[in-house]
Amino acid sequence: VVNSKTKKRTSKALRFLTIVFIGYGTMCPLLESTGIFSETFEISRWGYVAFAIGGVFLGYDNFFGVSSVWIRYTLANMEINKLRDNFEFDWQAKIGLMSGEELTEEKTLEGIGLLKNFMSGVQDIVITETENWAKEFENSLMELSRSTASGKG
């Protein structure tokens, strides 16, 4: 749980800082054109610095997948919670139908089947999420490789 809160905070902080710095970079030339600042202080030049800093935050988020990891984590958590809720309702229904009856082998196997389906669903979500993470990581590495290769030429 602490890990998900850290992911959420980091994602929001990176996005917020990107917006702030790129927004500031956009405003600098406009502020300079108002004549509020002295001619010796060229605020528009600071706009380039702000754009660069905003770009660094955006690049960090994109390369390390901070925001996408948090979003995927949240979606996977919601899917698992849905599976759990469905399992709990099915389990309670099964127990309710058996009230006062003797537990037979057939009913035991039905209960085990419910549990097996639930566990299988959770494993499918984990496998899908891991595959998505691996693809995203691989794509980030390929993009970095292309970027560094194009920078050399």
Side-chain angles (χ1 to χ4, degrees):
V1 174
V2 172
N3 198 12
S4 70
K5 286 182 181 180
T6 302
K7 289 176 187 176
K8 179 179 178 180
R9 286 184 189 139
T10 305
S11 171
K12 286 185 174 187
L14 285 171
R15 291 296 173 168
F16 175 76
L17 290 170
T18 299
I19 291 167
V20 166
F21 279 100
I22 290 178
Y24 177 73
T26 303
M27 294 301 295
C28 284
L30 298 173
L31 291 172
E32 186 170 316
S33 69
T34 64
I36 296 173
F37 298 95
S38 68
E39 290 183 24
T40 58
F41 182 70
E42 295 181 25
I43 192 169
S44 63
R45 291 187 182 188
W46 287 103
Y48 294 117
V49 174
F51 270 125
I53 293 170
V56 167
F57 285 125
L58 183 62
Y60 181 88
D61 187 25
N62 286 339
F63 180 73
F64 291 105
V66 177
S67 293
S68 62
V69 165
W70 173 61
I71 291 167
R72 285 195 333 264
Y73 171 85
T74 302
L75 291 173
N77 189 38
M78 290 169 59
E79 286 182 61
I80 289 172
N81 285 339
K82 179 183 173 186
L83 280 174
R84 186 201 62 216
D85 291 344
N86 288 337
F87 169 73
E88 288 176 354
F89 282 122
D90 291 344
W91 188 261
Q92 289 299 323
K94 183 73 62 190
I95 289 175
L97 291 174
M98 289 180 20
S99 62
E101 293 183 18
E102 184 178 322
L103 183 62
T104 63
E105 182 178 342
E106 179 183 338
K107 290 179 183 177
T108 302
L109 291 175
E110 288 175 10
I112 291 172
L114 285 175
L115 184 57
K116 180 181 175 187
N117 289 339
F118 169 69
M119 295 298 295
S120 177
V122 170
Q123 289 172 346
D124 289 345
I125 292 169
V126 170
I127 289 169
T128 301
E129 175 55 29
T130 303
E131 288 171 349
N132 289 340
W133 173 83
K135 286 177 190 173
E136 183 177 319
F137 184 74
E138 193 173 293
N139 289 338
S140 293
L141 289 177
M142 287 189 330
E143 188 172 322
L144 179 65
S145 178
R146 278 193 300 263
S147 296
T148 56
S150 66
K152 291 179 182 177

